[in-house]
Amino acid sequence: MTERECENLQRSPMESSILGSPVCSDTKTCTSQSPTQDKYNVLALERQNLERYLNLIRSQCHKKTSPLKSHLSKSTDTPTCEIGNPDLPSGSSTQEEDMIETIDQHLCNDHRVVKLNCSPKISLEVKEQPKLPPAPLALKRPLQRRSTIILGDDCVQDFRQRSAKKCLGKENLLEPAFNKAESAKKARVSCGLQRKSIIKQKKKTGKKKIEFIPLSKEHLKRLIELAEGDCLQVLVTKFNLNIQRSEIQILLNFRWLNDVIINFYMNLLTERSEKRIGQLPSVYAMNTFFVPRLLQSGHAGVKRWTRKVDLFSKDIIPVPVHSNGVHWCMAIIHMRDKTILYYDSIGGGNQKVLDALEAYLREESLDKRKLSFDTSGFRIGNALNVPQQKNSRDCGVFACMFAEYLTRDAPITFSQDNIDYFRRKMALEISGGELWL
């Protein structure tokens, strides 16, 4: 049989099953059958075609003349295998025999049998159409190799040692964390106790600290009365000083403060500390003439000013300074904190005044107590981060407020926006002869 005849035999039995239903020789019998019988007839014919196709494959494989392309490998990456091709390696014949044997097993070992009743007198046993065999392993793409980790015999011991080191490091970190947490807990407890005591104390006293006492209608009415009238009228006499209406009008008309206003206010600070012993620091405030006399005559020129006062028993000593006769500042001698600081609302400094005050303390101790006074541990200099004025007329109010806040241990939190309120408050306090706080 030639190669062309084999191809015709290969094509003829399959065309009827692939292109359409099988041709029936007896048209009357076909038309009289039911659709189910037609289906079973088709299955029987397909089985016959498959058996013929298998016989053809066997014959062609033995002769190795007709090439049969494999329908199992359709991947573009894998080359097409041709059965019976002498150019292929010798192992291809074994693959061909394996494939034929697989198809034969599918045809012979399929136990699923379908009984067909084409007519009442005819019964046939037809097996279902076999499934296509799986692709040979040789035609599949080879799997990629994966790297593997080879563990030594001591891997378990090494792992345990590393774990023990990590646990030890965590324990070392946990111990200070626990200590810190305990200290924080104690601090919270103590803070809570202090807060409770403060709340209880406030409830007992019934007083609440207010930094800015609001001005009432009576206060505003009093300010109007102070602003109008005879300028030479004496409104209050205290501390051997007479306060006329003109001094109050200086405060209300936003002008520079004079010596009378500042000296009267310094005396009010001293008086307040004497009335509230134990509640506020003890204070003795100098007047505006102290620094000029000290710079001019030294300690000898001012030693009589404190003959009835022990400065070293006081906590805070405010000293007003009129720098160059045009700018008011405030020097604060803080005996408890061992500081001599210079408060300037324009950010300047005055080392000459600071040195004079330090020397004054040493000489005052020798004169009054006959003891030397060591100021080597004092911090002497300009105060930092103090409120700054934004005009040229409020330096006196700033200086008085520095002293007022510090003599009651209050943090300096005011600013230029509060100066107008302080002017009215000072006018009411001076005219009333007493500080509000």
Side-chain angles (χ1 to χ4, degrees):
M1 183 181 296
T2 63
E3 183 177 356
R4 189 174 185 84
E5 292 176 353
C6 291
E7 289 179 359
N8 293 332
L9 288 175
Q10 178 182 356
R11 189 181 298 114
S12 59
M14 295 296 295
E15 287 179 352
S16 60
S17 61
I18 295 174
L19 299 177
S21 59
V23 180
C24 184
S25 59
D26 190 358
T27 55
K28 295 182 180 181
T29 307
C30 293
T31 53
S32 61
Q33 291 178 353
S34 63
T36 306
Q37 292 175 349
D38 292 341
K39 180 178 179 181
Y40 290 149
N41 291 336
V42 170
L43 292 175
L45 291 175
E46 286 183 355
R47 176 175 175 77
Q48 294 176 4
N49 291 334
L50 286 173
E51 289 177 354
R52 293 177 184 176
Y53 186 58
L54 180 60
N55 294 330
L56 179 62
I57 290 175
R58 287 196 186 100
S59 62
Q60 293 299 319
C61 287
H62 285 295
K63 293 182 179 182
K64 293 185 180 181
T65 56
S66 176
L68 178 64
K69 293 184 180 181
S70 176
H71 62 279
L72 301 176
S73 176
K74 296 183 180 181
S75 175
T76 56
D77 299 334
T78 306
T80 306
C81 178
E82 296 183 357
I83 301 176
N85 192 347
D87 297 334
L88 292 176
S90 59
S92 61
S93 60
T94 306
Q95 295 177 4
E96 296 168 1
E97 294 176 359
D98 293 342
M99 187 174 65
I100 294 169
E101 184 178 357
T102 304
I103 297 173
D104 195 7
Q105 289 178 0
H106 275 272
L107 288 173
C108 298
N109 297 333
D110 195 353
H111 298 288
R112 290 174 295 178
V113 178
V114 181
K115 293 184 178 181
L116 302 178
N117 294 323
C118 297
S119 63
K121 297 180 181 180
I122 301 172
S123 62
L124 298 175
E125 291 185 1
V126 181
K127 295 183 181 180
E128 290 183 354
Q129 184 179 359
K131 297 181 180 179
L132 294 176
L137 297 177
L139 301 179
K140 292 184 179 180
R141 184 179 296 179
L143 298 175
Q144 296 181 355
R145 294 182 180 179
R146 297 182 180 178
S147 60
T148 58
I149 300 174
I150 300 175
L151 300 177
D153 297 337
D154 57 345
C155 63
V156 177
Q157 186 177 358
D158 292 343
F159 177 76
R160 289 175 179 175
Q161 290 178 357
R162 290 196 299 271
S163 300
K165 289 181 180 179
K166 289 182 180 180
C167 293
L168 183 61
K170 291 180 180 179
E171 290 178 358
N172 295 335
L173 293 175
L174 285 175
E175 184 175 358
F178 281 127
N179 296 335
K180 189 174 181 180
E182 288 293 332
S183 61
K185 183 178 179 180
K186 292 178 182 179
R188 287 196 303 270
V189 171
S190 61
C191 182
L193 294 175
Q194 292 178 1
R195 185 177 180 183
K196 287 181 181 179
S197 63
I198 292 171
I199 293 173
K200 289 181 180 179
Q201 187 177 2
K202 285 183 178 180
K203 288 182 179 179
K204 289 180 180 179
T205 56
K207 295 180 180 179
K208 187 178 180 181
K209 290 185 178 181
I210 300 176
E211 185 176 1
F212 300 105
I213 298 176
L215 301 179
S216 62
K217 293 182 180 180
E218 290 76 12
H219 292 149
L220 298 177
K221 184 178 180 181
R222 176 61 177 164
L223 289 173
I224 294 173
E225 294 175 356
L226 293 173
E228 298 176 354
D230 186 7
C231 296
L232 301 178
Q233 180 184 357
V234 177
L235 300 178
V236 60
T237 300
K238 196 174 183 178
F239 313 120
N240 297 326
L241 294 173
N242 295 326
I243 300 298
Q244 298 179 350
R245 192 184 300 273
S246 59
E247 275 76 34
I248 302 299
Q249 290 176 348
I250 288 174
L251 287 166
L252 299 179
N253 294 332
F254 308 103
R255 294 183 296 185
W256 288 350
L257 303 189
N258 56 19
D259 297 280
V260 178
I261 297 174
I262 294 179
N263 288 333
F264 194 91
Y265 199 78
M266 293 297 106
N267 282 286
L268 288 177
L269 296 176
T270 304
E271 183 186 55
R272 181 179 65 178
S273 68
E274 293 173 352
K275 289 181 179 180
R276 300 172 62 180
I277 297 175
Q279 298 178 3
L280 295 177
S282 58
V283 177
Y284 183 79
M286 299 293 185
N287 61 31
T288 57
F289 306 106
F290 175 79
V291 171
R293 180 66 64 88
L294 178 65
L295 294 176
Q296 183 180 2
S297 305
H299 180 265
V302 294
K303 66 178 181 179
R304 289 174 55 86
W305 292 25
T306 55
R307 63 182 183 274
K308 297 181 181 181
V309 179
D310 182 12
L311 289 180
F312 299 94
S313 64
K314 304 298 181 180
D315 296 325
I316 299 175
I317 304 170
V319 182
V321 180
H322 200 203
S323 179
N324 297 324
V326 293
H327 181 59
W328 289 107
C329 300
M330 186 64 62
I332 302 292
I333 302 174
H334 210 301
M335 304 297 289
R336 291 182 309 179
D337 296 344
K338 294 184 178 182
T339 59
I340 303 175
L341 297 178
Y342 191 79
Y343 290 82
D344 191 345
S345 59
I346 62 174
N350 199 329
Q351 191 62 38
K352 184 178 180 180
V353 172
L354 294 174
D355 294 340
L357 292 176
E358 182 183 6
Y360 170 77
L361 290 177
R362 292 196 296 264
E363 294 177 8
E364 180 73 7
S365 178
L366 291 174
D367 183 58
K368 299 297 191 299
R369 302 190 304 171
K370 309 302 179 183
L371 296 172
S372 60
F373 185 73
D374 185 14
T375 59
S376 60
F378 273 62
R379 183 168 64 93
I380 303 172
N382 300 322
L384 303 177
N385 300 324
V386 298
Q388 300 292 294
Q389 67 184 78
K390 297 181 181 180
N391 53 41
S392 60
R393 62 178 183 269
D394 291 330
C395 56
V397 182
F398 271 90
C400 291
M401 288 301 105
F402 289 143
E404 195 277 324
Y405 272 67
L406 293 172
T407 52
R408 58 183 173 91
D409 287 337
I412 299 176
T413 56
F414 63 87
S415 64
Q416 178 68 56
D417 298 335
N418 309 121
I419 296 302
D420 293 347
Y421 167 80
F422 288 147
R423 280 182 174 272
R424 298 188 184 97
K425 177 173 169 287
M426 287 179 66
L428 294 171
E429 288 174 335
I430 292 172
S431 61
E434 187 179 6
L435 296 178
W436 287 1
L437 299 175

